[in-house]
Amino acid sequence: MGQTVSPETKSTRTRAPRKPKKSQLPIALLVTVLIIGFGFFLDHSHDKMVVYLLFGISFGVILQRSRFCFTASLRDPCITGSTSVTRAVLIAFSLATIGFTAIKYPAFLEGKPIPGMDNVGQISFALIIGAVLFGIGMVIAGGCASGTLMRVGEGFTMQMLSLVFFVIGSLWGSHDMGWWRANVIKDAPTVFLPDVFGWLGALVVQFLIILLLYIAAVKWQEKKMGSAD
């Protein structure tokens, strides 16, 4: 009679041994030295470029370590039920609201032009089309703009390809933006919450919406994770 082999034993026999991971410490040290050298080079040509370099590196490290991604914040609740990234994005919105208010409100009190008003977008059909297309694209690509850049740095081939077409699409969009402004956007309303609710009212409305979304995210995760258990 033949000897019966358990599935665990069979899988152990057929599984190839894992290759030992190569230490990335030498690469990290080399990159660090190159960054420091590049920083000294920039310091001689333009002092502010060093600040930009440090900010970019810090931002990239935070993105990579936190796995912060707008795509994940909208995708994960539907696929896995997890809303941790969703809640992180909502907290980021809260901090951004406080920061932008601190920048804009003093200028308003002094009667000066409010910074960034040129970036208050008009609500139009073009905005809806762009949002839908971008949402579909970032889910297919597996990341938003920041997530794509982060994964390019990690060596993901798919995100490298996504970045190429991201650039092509941005150039195409910039080329056609004049037509959209002239034919679709020009008569669309611009909504700036302090003009509607006042500065304090705008903060209350903004934080109330964020709070409700945060509570909904917590409840959603509890429901999905509870049902999975």
Side-chain angles (χ1 to χ4, degrees), residues 140-169:
I140 294 175
C144 57
S146 57
T148 298
L149 291 174
M150 174 189 69
R151 289 179 177 85
V152 166
E154 292 180 331
F156 283 85
T157 307
M158 178 180 177
Q159 269 63 44
M160 294 179 186
L161 183 62
S162 299
L163 180 61
V164 172
F165 284 96
F166 194 107
V167 173
I168 294 174

Side-chain angles (χ1 to χ4, degrees), residues 126 171-186:
L171 293 174
W172 190 358
S174 299
H175 178 270
D176 293 345
M177 195 63 190
W179 182 90
W180 285 99
R181 288 192 183 279
N183 297 278
V184 182
I185 302 177
K186 65 176 182 177

